[in-house]
Amino acid sequence: MIPGPGMPDAELDQHTEALTAVGADISAVKYLKQWKAFSEMAAPASRAVSSTAASSFSLKSMIKGVRDLVITDKNLPVTRIVESLMDMTSSKEVDDYRYLDPKVLRQADGAPKSRAPFREAVVFVAGGGNYIEYQNLQEFCKRSNGSKNVSYGTSQLVNANQFIEQLVRLGGSS
């Protein structure tokens, strides 16, 4: 029950009232509603669509999202960034990254002088990391036929229940 483009606010309010009536904690729903309102304020007005189109868009988006999670050939953003950095290819995603390789002499602009691709990388996510990112990085290493090795770390690795608990805490603090 995530408030999305396919669910009218009135319907969401009915669901939350029913949950409140049975004593459920709706802090997470409150937080998601606030997040949605903030996101809508930040989005340009040109993104508005009709309610019929929004309903079909919501279903299509959900199916595409599930398909994207199951299909492992598609690189997630963190994997695309790691691949670009390791292969020393230029892209808008990595133009502002710095290389921290003590073996490579640096020029004044901070770019390494050596253009040899990296074989090993350490990826550390400050905040919530997840198993999907880790798995996608491992698939990337397998596709490289063992020529690349990536270590993944995070300050917090959360499962689905822990994620919902975090939403409840965020919703309770607002």
Side-chain angles (χ1 to χ4, degrees), residues 34-77:
Q34 289 175 343
W35 180 75
K36 177 188 173 202
F38 177 74
S39 297
E40 287 175 349
M41 285 188 327
S46 63
R47 288 187 171 169
V49 293
S50 70
S51 61
T52 307
S55 298
S56 64
F57 174 75
S58 176
L59 180 59
K60 288 178 184 175
S61 296
M62 184 180 73
I63 291 170
K64 183 183 181 311
V66 170
R67 189 179 311 129
D68 287 347
L69 289 176
V70 174
I71 298 172
T72 58
D73 291 341
K74 190 171 188 176
N75 283 340
L76 297 176

mmCIF file of all heavy atoms in Angstrom, residues 34-77:
data_model
loop_
_atom_site.group_PDB
_atom_site.id
_atom_site.type_symbol
_atom_site.label_atom_id
_atom_site.label_comp_id
_atom_site.label_asym_id
_atom_site.label_seq_id
_atom_site.Cartn_x
_atom_site.Cartn_y
_atom_site.Cartn_z
ATOM 1 N N GLN A 34 4.377 11.774 3.240
ATOM 2 C CA GLN A 34 5.168 13.007 3.272
ATOM 3 C C GLN A 34 6.230 12.987 2.186
ATOM 4 O O GLN A 34 6.470 13.990 1.515
ATOM 5 C CB GLN A 34 5.832 13.177 4.637
ATOM 6 C CG GLN A 34 4.870 13.518 5.742
ATOM 7 C CD GLN A 34 5.553 13.552 7.098
ATOM 8 O OE1 GLN A 34 6.645 13.024 7.266
ATOM 9 N NE2 GLN A 34 4.891 14.163 8.067
ATOM 10 N N TRP A 35 6.867 11.856 2.026
ATOM 11 C CA TRP A 35 7.907 11.714 1.004
ATOM 12 C C TRP A 35 7.312 11.918 -0.383
ATOM 13 O O TRP A 35 7.893 12.579 -1.227
ATOM 14 C CB TRP A 35 8.566 10.343 1.140
ATOM 15 C CG TRP A 35 9.636 10.092 0.139
ATOM 16 C CD1 TRP A 35 10.892 10.616 0.123
ATOM 17 C CD2 TRP A 35 9.545 9.250 -1.006
ATOM 18 N NE1 TRP A 35 11.594 10.146 -0.955
ATOM 19 C CE2 TRP A 35 10.787 9.302 -1.682
ATOM 20 C CE3 TRP A 35 8.542 8.452 -1.548
ATOM 21 C CZ2 TRP A 35 11.037 8.600 -2.832
ATOM 22 C CZ3 TRP A 35 8.797 7.755 -2.704
ATOM 23 C CH2 TRP A 35 10.038 7.835 -3.325
ATOM 24 N N LYS A 36 6.129 11.348 -0.618
ATOM 25 C CA LYS A 36 5.461 11.501 -1.910
ATOM 26 C C LYS A 36 5.127 12.967 -2.170
ATOM 27 O O LYS A 36 5.340 13.486 -3.265
ATOM 28 C CB LYS A 36 4.188 10.656 -1.955
ATOM 29 C CG LYS A 36 3.403 10.821 -3.245
ATOM 30 C CD LYS A 36 2.059 10.125 -3.173
ATOM 31 C CE LYS A 36 1.245 10.446 -4.407
ATOM 32 N NZ LYS A 36 -0.168 10.268 -4.196
ATOM 33 N N ALA A 37 4.618 13.653 -1.143
ATOM 34 C CA ALA A 37 4.267 15.065 -1.307
ATOM 35 C C ALA A 37 5.511 15.888 -1.624
ATOM 36 O O ALA A 37 5.488 16.767 -2.493
ATOM 37 C CB ALA A 37 3.591 15.588 -0.042
ATOM 38 N N PHE A 38 6.601 15.602 -0.959
ATOM 39 C CA PHE A 38 7.849 16.312 -1.228
ATOM 40 C C PHE A 38 8.331 16.029 -2.650
ATOM 41 O O PHE A 38 8.750 16.934 -3.362
ATOM 42 C CB PHE A 38 8.919 15.903 -0.216
ATOM 43 C CG PHE A 38 10.244 16.545 -0.475
ATOM 44 C CD1 PHE A 38 10.458 17.884 -0.195
ATOM 45 C CD2 PHE A 38 11.284 15.806 -1.019
ATOM 46 C CE1 PHE A 38 11.676 18.476 -0.440
ATOM 47 C CE2 PHE A 38 12.507 16.392 -1.278
ATOM 48 C CZ PHE A 38 12.706 17.734 -0.988
ATOM 49 N N SER A 39 8.257 14.787 -3.071
ATOM 50 C CA SER A 39 8.689 14.418 -4.418
ATOM 51 C C SER A 39 7.837 15.091 -5.479
ATOM 52 O O SER A 39 8.339 15.508 -6.516
ATOM 53 C CB SER A 39 8.617 12.900 -4.615
ATOM 54 O OG SER A 39 9.495 12.257 -3.735
ATOM 55 N N GLU A 40 6.539 15.195 -5.232
ATOM 56 C CA GLU A 40 5.648 15.844 -6.191
ATOM 57 C C GLU A 40 5.931 17.333 -6.290
ATOM 58 O O GLU A 40 5.830 17.922 -7.358
ATOM 59 C CB GLU A 40 4.190 15.599 -5.809
ATOM 60 C CG GLU A 40 3.728 14.184 -6.084
ATOM 61 C CD GLU A 40 2.329 13.897 -5.598
ATOM 62 O OE1 GLU A 40 1.751 14.728 -4.851
ATOM 63 O OE2 GLU A 40 1.796 12.835 -5.945
ATOM 64 N N MET A 41 6.317 17.962 -5.167
ATOM 65 C CA MET A 41 6.656 19.387 -5.213
ATOM 66 C C MET A 41 7.923 19.606 -6.026
ATOM 67 O O MET A 41 8.052 20.609 -6.720
ATOM 68 C CB MET A 41 6.867 19.937 -3.800
ATOM 69 C CG MET A 41 5.587 20.128 -3.044
ATOM 70 S SD MET A 41 5.759 20.996 -1.465
ATOM 71 C CE MET A 41 7.327 20.523 -0.849
ATOM 72 N N ALA A 42 8.845 18.672 -5.948
ATOM 73 C CA ALA A 42 10.111 18.806 -6.656
ATOM 74 C C ALA A 42 9.998 18.450 -8.133
ATOM 75 O O ALA A 42 10.817 18.862 -8.935
ATOM 76 C CB ALA A 42 11.164 17.922 -5.998
ATOM 77 N N ALA A 43 8.973 17.671 -8.502
ATOM 78 C CA ALA A 43 8.808 17.245 -9.900
ATOM 79 C C ALA A 43 8.203 18.369 -10.721
ATOM 80 O O ALA A 43 7.355 19.112 -10.251
ATOM 81 C CB ALA A 43 7.912 16.007 -9.971
ATOM 82 N N PRO A 44 8.614 18.502 -11.990
ATOM 83 C CA PRO A 44 8.032 19.537 -12.838
ATOM 84 C C PRO A 44 6.572 19.236 -13.151
ATOM 85 O O PRO A 44 6.151 18.091 -13.186
ATOM 86 C CB PRO A 44 8.887 19.493 -14.102
ATOM 87 C CG PRO A 44 9.566 18.172 -14.094
ATOM 88 C CD PRO A 44 9.664 17.752 -12.647
ATOM 89 N N ALA A 45 5.804 20.276 -13.400
ATOM 90 C CA ALA A 45 4.372 20.127 -13.683
ATOM 91 C C ALA A 45 4.124 19.379 -14.978
ATOM 92 O O ALA A 45 3.051 18.832 -15.182
ATOM 93 C CB ALA A 45 3.714 21.502 -13.740
ATOM 94 N N SER A 46 5.114 19.318 -15.845
ATOM 95 C CA SER A 46 4.918 18.651 -17.135
ATOM 96 C C SER A 46 4.779 17.145 -17.004
ATOM 97 O O SER A 46 4.466 16.472 -17.961
ATOM 98 C CB SER A 46 6.086 18.973 -18.067
ATOM 99 O OG SER A 46 7.282 18.452 -17.524
ATOM 100 N N ARG A 47 5.004 16.619 -15.816
ATOM 101 C CA ARG A 47 4.895 15.174 -15.622
ATOM 102 C C ARG A 47 3.471 14.733 -15.327
ATOM 103 O O ARG A 47 3.224 13.549 -15.123
ATOM 104 C CB ARG A 47 5.792 14.726 -14.474
ATOM 105 C CG ARG A 47 7.240 14.759 -14.816
ATOM 106 C CD ARG A 47 8.018 14.142 -13.703
ATOM 107 N NE ARG A 47 9.401 13.952 -14.087
ATOM 108 C CZ ARG A 47 10.359 13.621 -13.267
ATOM 109 N NH1 ARG A 47 10.098 13.429 -11.997
ATOM 110 N NH2 ARG A 47 11.584 13.458 -13.687
ATOM 111 N N ALA A 48 2.534 15.654 -15.251
ATOM 112 C CA ALA A 48 1.152 15.310 -14.926
ATOM 113 C C ALA A 48 0.566 14.418 -16.013
ATOM 114 O O ALA A 48 0.781 14.627 -17.192
ATOM 115 C CB ALA A 48 0.318 16.575 -14.790
ATOM 116 N N VAL A 49 -0.182 13.390 -15.585
ATOM 117 C CA VAL A 49 -0.834 12.478 -16.521
ATOM 118 C C VAL A 49 -2.271 12.260 -16.074
ATOM 119 O O VAL A 49 -2.623 12.489 -14.931
ATOM 120 C CB VAL A 49 -0.099 11.117 -16.594
ATOM 121 C CG1 VAL A 49 1.255 11.272 -17.216
ATOM 122 C CG2 VAL A 49 0.017 10.479 -15.235
ATOM 123 N N SER A 50 -3.102 11.769 -16.955
ATOM 124 C CA SER A 50 -4.488 11.508 -16.588
ATOM 125 C C SER A 50 -4.564 10.322 -15.641
ATOM 126 O O SER A 50 -3.643 9.514 -15.562
ATOM 127 C CB SER A 50 -5.306 11.228 -17.850
ATOM 128 O OG SER A 50 -4.925 9.983 -18.394
ATOM 129 N N SER A 51 -5.679 10.201 -14.894
ATOM 130 C CA SER A 51 -5.797 9.125 -13.908
ATOM 131 C C SER A 51 -5.816 7.760 -14.579
ATOM 132 O O SER A 51 -5.298 6.793 -14.028
ATOM 133 C CB SER A 51 -7.045 9.329 -13.050
ATOM 134 O OG SER A 51 -8.199 9.297 -13.862
ATOM 135 N N THR A 52 -6.393 7.635 -15.767
ATOM 136 C CA THR A 52 -6.406 6.357 -16.477
ATOM 137 C C THR A 52 -4.988 5.976 -16.887
ATOM 138 O O THR A 52 -4.560 4.845 -16.698
ATOM 139 C CB THR A 52 -7.303 6.437 -17.728
ATOM 140 O OG1 THR A 52 -8.577 6.914 -17.348
ATOM 141 C CG2 THR A 52 -7.427 5.096 -18.394
ATOM 142 N N ALA A 53 -4.266 6.938 -17.422
ATOM 143 C CA ALA A 53 -2.888 6.672 -17.822
ATOM 144 C C ALA A 53 -2.040 6.376 -16.604
ATOM 145 O O ALA A 53 -1.153 5.525 -16.637
ATOM 146 C CB ALA A 53 -2.318 7.864 -18.591
ATOM 147 N N ALA A 54 -2.325 7.059 -15.488
ATOM 148 C CA ALA A 54 -1.549 6.834 -14.271
ATOM 149 C C ALA A 54 -1.760 5.417 -13.751
ATOM 150 O O ALA A 54 -0.821 4.771 -13.286
ATOM 151 C CB ALA A 54 -1.941 7.851 -13.199
ATOM 152 N N SER A 55 -3.004 4.913 -13.824
ATOM 153 C CA SER A 55 -3.280 3.559 -13.349
ATOM 154 C C SER A 55 -2.511 2.529 -14.163
ATOM 155 O O SER A 55 -1.896 1.629 -13.614
ATOM 156 C CB SER A 55 -4.772 3.257 -13.425
ATOM 157 O OG SER A 55 -5.489 4.133 -12.605
ATOM 158 N N SER A 56 -2.544 2.664 -15.486
ATOM 159 C CA SER A 56 -1.831 1.702 -16.318
ATOM 160 C C SER A 56 -0.332 1.897 -16.172
ATOM 161 O O SER A 56 0.428 0.942 -16.176
ATOM 162 C CB SER A 56 -2.253 1.822 -17.782
ATOM 163 O OG SER A 56 -1.887 3.081 -18.295
ATOM 164 N N PHE A 57 0.095 3.150 -16.000
ATOM 165 C CA PHE A 57 1.520 3.423 -15.798
ATOM 166 C C PHE A 57 2.003 2.764 -14.512
ATOM 167 O O PHE A 57 3.062 2.184 -14.458
ATOM 168 C CB PHE A 57 1.758 4.935 -15.748
ATOM 169 C CG PHE A 57 3.161 5.305 -15.400
ATOM 170 C CD1 PHE A 57 4.170 5.168 -16.337
ATOM 171 C CD2 PHE A 57 3.474 5.772 -14.145
ATOM 172 C CE1 PHE A 57 5.469 5.501 -16.027
ATOM 173 C CE2 PHE A 57 4.768 6.102 -13.824
ATOM 174 C CZ PHE A 57 5.766 5.973 -14.773
ATOM 175 N N SER A 58 1.193 2.847 -13.455
ATOM 176 C CA SER A 58 1.571 2.271 -12.169
ATOM 177 C C SER A 58 1.746 0.755 -12.276
ATOM 178 O O SER A 58 2.712 0.206 -11.777
ATOM 179 C CB SER A 58 0.507 2.609 -11.129
ATOM 180 O OG SER A 58 0.807 1.996 -9.909
ATOM 181 N N LEU A 59 0.802 0.080 -12.937
ATOM 182 C CA LEU A 59 0.890 -1.366 -13.096
ATOM 183 C C LEU A 59 2.095 -1.739 -13.951
ATOM 184 O O LEU A 59 2.858 -2.644 -13.612
ATOM 185 C CB LEU A 59 -0.395 -1.915 -13.718
ATOM 186 C CG LEU A 59 -0.443 -3.426 -13.950
ATOM 187 C CD1 LEU A 59 -0.262 -4.159 -12.622
ATOM 188 C CD2 LEU A 59 -1.734 -3.829 -14.614
ATOM 189 N N LYS A 60 2.296 -1.013 -15.045
ATOM 190 C CA LYS A 60 3.444 -1.282 -15.911
ATOM 191 C C LYS A 60 4.752 -1.043 -15.162
ATOM 192 O O LYS A 60 5.699 -1.818 -15.295
ATOM 193 C CB LYS A 60 3.390 -0.413 -17.165
ATOM 194 C CG LYS A 60 2.321 -0.814 -18.147
ATOM 195 C CD LYS A 60 2.302 0.121 -19.333
ATOM 196 C CE LYS A 60 1.162 -0.220 -20.270
ATOM 197 N NZ LYS A 60 1.035 0.739 -21.359
ATOM 198 N N SER A 61 4.806 0.019 -14.372
ATOM 199 C CA SER A 61 6.016 0.315 -13.607
ATOM 200 C C SER A 61 6.308 -0.778 -12.594
ATOM 201 O O SER A 61 7.460 -1.166 -12.407
ATOM 202 C CB SER A 61 5.875 1.654 -12.887
ATOM 203 O OG SER A 61 5.752 2.691 -13.797
ATOM 204 N N MET A 62 5.249 -1.258 -11.943
ATOM 205 C CA MET A 62 5.439 -2.307 -10.945
ATOM 206 C C MET A 62 5.960 -3.583 -11.602
ATOM 207 O O MET A 62 6.903 -4.200 -11.118
ATOM 208 C CB MET A 62 4.124 -2.596 -10.220
ATOM 209 C CG MET A 62 4.266 -3.613 -9.111
ATOM 210 S SD MET A 62 2.721 -3.945 -8.278
ATOM 211 C CE MET A 62 1.875 -4.900 -9.512
ATOM 212 N N ILE A 63 5.370 -3.978 -12.722
ATOM 213 C CA ILE A 63 5.814 -5.186 -13.418
ATOM 214 C C ILE A 63 7.246 -5.024 -13.907
ATOM 215 O O ILE A 63 8.069 -5.922 -13.752
ATOM 216 C CB ILE A 63 4.854 -5.513 -14.594
ATOM 217 C CG1 ILE A 63 3.501 -5.953 -14.036
ATOM 218 C CG2 ILE A 63 5.444 -6.582 -15.502
ATOM 219 C CD1 ILE A 63 2.414 -6.067 -15.074
ATOM 220 N N LYS A 64 7.567 -3.849 -14.465
ATOM 221 C CA LYS A 64 8.928 -3.582 -14.929
ATOM 222 C C LYS A 64 9.909 -3.631 -13.756
ATOM 223 O O LYS A 64 10.996 -4.174 -13.870
ATOM 224 C CB LYS A 64 9.012 -2.233 -15.624
ATOM 225 C CG LYS A 64 10.388 -1.937 -16.183
ATOM 226 C CD LYS A 64 10.432 -0.550 -16.800
ATOM 227 C CE LYS A 64 11.760 -0.214 -17.392
ATOM 228 N NZ LYS A 64 12.911 -0.448 -16.563
ATOM 229 N N GLY A 65 9.507 -3.071 -12.600
ATOM 230 C CA GLY A 65 10.376 -3.081 -11.426
ATOM 231 C C GLY A 65 10.685 -4.495 -10.954
ATOM 232 O O GLY A 65 11.829 -4.831 -10.648
ATOM 233 N N VAL A 66 9.667 -5.348 -10.921
ATOM 234 C CA VAL A 66 9.873 -6.743 -10.520
ATOM 235 C C VAL A 66 10.756 -7.456 -11.541
ATOM 236 O O VAL A 66 11.691 -8.175 -11.180
ATOM 237 C CB VAL A 66 8.520 -7.467 -10.352
ATOM 238 C CG1 VAL A 66 8.723 -8.956 -10.176
ATOM 239 C CG2 VAL A 66 7.755 -6.884 -9.187
ATOM 240 N N ARG A 67 10.496 -7.218 -12.833
ATOM 241 C CA ARG A 67 11.292 -7.848 -13.879
ATOM 242 C C ARG A 67 12.759 -7.401 -13.779
ATOM 243 O O ARG A 67 13.665 -8.199 -13.915
ATOM 244 C CB ARG A 67 10.721 -7.495 -15.252
ATOM 245 C CG ARG A 67 11.368 -8.277 -16.378
ATOM 246 C CD ARG A 67 10.783 -7.934 -17.748
ATOM 247 N NE ARG A 67 9.330 -7.958 -17.765
ATOM 248 C CZ ARG A 67 8.577 -6.975 -18.229
ATOM 249 N NH1 ARG A 67 9.111 -5.893 -18.727
ATOM 250 N NH2 ARG A 67 7.271 -7.076 -18.209
ATOM 251 N N ASP A 68 12.972 -6.122 -13.508
ATOM 252 C CA ASP A 68 14.342 -5.606 -13.387
ATOM 253 C C ASP A 68 15.078 -6.226 -12.205
ATOM 254 O O ASP A 68 16.286 -6.427 -12.250
ATOM 255 C CB ASP A 68 14.336 -4.085 -13.249
ATOM 256 C CG ASP A 68 13.997 -3.391 -14.559
ATOM 257 O OD1 ASP A 68 14.016 -4.064 -15.618
ATOM 258 O OD2 ASP A 68 13.714 -2.183 -14.519
ATOM 259 N N LEU A 69 14.345 -6.532 -11.130
ATOM 260 C CA LEU A 69 14.988 -7.152 -9.975
ATOM 261 C C LEU A 69 15.383 -8.594 -10.264
ATOM 262 O O LEU A 69 16.378 -9.083 -9.756
ATOM 263 C CB LEU A 69 14.063 -7.113 -8.761
ATOM 264 C CG LEU A 69 13.840 -5.741 -8.138
ATOM 265 C CD1 LEU A 69 12.832 -5.851 -7.006
ATOM 266 C CD2 LEU A 69 15.129 -5.136 -7.649
ATOM 267 N N VAL A 70 14.588 -9.275 -11.070
ATOM 268 C CA VAL A 70 14.837 -10.681 -11.349
ATOM 269 C C VAL A 70 15.914 -10.848 -12.422
ATOM 270 O O VAL A 70 16.775 -11.712 -12.320
ATOM 271 C CB VAL A 70 13.523 -11.386 -11.776
ATOM 272 C CG1 VAL A 70 13.787 -12.805 -12.209
ATOM 273 C CG2 VAL A 70 12.517 -11.341 -10.649
ATOM 274 N N ILE A 71 15.896 -10.011 -13.440
ATOM 275 C CA ILE A 71 16.855 -10.122 -14.532
ATOM 276 C C ILE A 71 18.180 -9.535 -14.067
ATOM 277 O O ILE A 71 18.257 -8.383 -13.674
ATOM 278 C CB ILE A 71 16.345 -9.396 -15.792
ATOM 279 C CG1 ILE A 71 15.053 -10.055 -16.252
ATOM 280 C CG2 ILE A 71 17.391 -9.412 -16.887
ATOM 281 C CD1 ILE A 71 14.356 -9.322 -17.372
ATOM 282 N N THR A 72 19.240 -10.340 -14.118
ATOM 283 C CA THR A 72 20.519 -9.921 -13.555
ATOM 284 C C THR A 72 21.479 -9.356 -14.591
ATOM 285 O O THR A 72 22.574 -8.955 -14.238
ATOM 286 C CB THR A 72 21.200 -11.108 -12.844
ATOM 287 O OG1 THR A 72 21.361 -12.164 -13.794
ATOM 288 C CG2 THR A 72 20.394 -11.591 -11.670
ATOM 289 N N ASP A 73 21.106 -9.327 -15.858
ATOM 290 C CA ASP A 73 22.006 -8.797 -16.877
ATOM 291 C C ASP A 73 22.079 -7.274 -16.841
ATOM 292 O O ASP A 73 22.987 -6.692 -17.416
ATOM 293 C CB ASP A 73 21.561 -9.243 -18.276
ATOM 294 C CG ASP A 73 21.770 -10.731 -18.488
ATOM 295 O OD1 ASP A 73 22.555 -11.326 -17.729
ATOM 296 O OD2 ASP A 73 21.143 -11.288 -19.397
ATOM 297 N N LYS A 74 21.142 -6.645 -16.186
ATOM 298 C CA LYS A 74 21.105 -5.192 -16.135
ATOM 299 C C LYS A 74 21.924 -4.699 -14.942
ATOM 300 O O LYS A 74 21.736 -5.147 -13.826
ATOM 301 C CB LYS A 74 19.657 -4.724 -16.002
ATOM 302 C CG LYS A 74 19.477 -3.252 -16.168
ATOM 303 C CD LYS A 74 18.025 -2.905 -16.243
ATOM 304 C CE LYS A 74 17.862 -1.444 -16.598
ATOM 305 N NZ LYS A 74 16.463 -1.103 -16.767
ATOM 306 N N ASN A 75 22.835 -3.766 -15.195
ATOM 307 C CA ASN A 75 23.658 -3.234 -14.126
ATOM 308 C C ASN A 75 22.932 -2.132 -13.368
ATOM 309 O O ASN A 75 22.361 -1.225 -13.958
ATOM 310 C CB ASN A 75 24.969 -2.667 -14.685
ATOM 311 C CG ASN A 75 25.951 -3.755 -15.034
ATOM 312 O OD1 ASN A 75 25.850 -4.877 -14.556
ATOM 313 N ND2 ASN A 75 26.914 -3.421 -15.864
ATOM 314 N N LEU A 76 22.986 -2.210 -12.051
ATOM 315 C CA LEU A 76 22.452 -1.162 -11.198
ATOM 316 C C LEU A 76 23.399 0.027 -11.220
ATOM 317 O O LEU A 76 24.557 -0.095 -11.642
ATOM 318 C CB LEU A 76 22.298 -1.701 -9.775
ATOM 319 C CG LEU A 76 21.314 -2.845 -9.593
ATOM 320 C CD1 LEU A 76 21.332 -3.359 -8.167
ATOM 321 C CD2 LEU A 76 19.909 -2.400 -9.967
ATOM 322 N N PRO A 77 22.947 1.192 -10.761
ATOM 323 C CA PRO A 77 23.824 2.369 -10.792
ATOM 324 C C PRO A 77 25.177 2.156 -10.131
ATOM 325 O O PRO A 77 26.209 2.562 -10.675
ATOM 326 C CB PRO A 77 23.004 3.431 -10.055
ATOM 327 C CG PRO A 77 21.595 3.039 -10.302
ATOM 328 C CD PRO A 77 21.598 1.533 -10.326
#
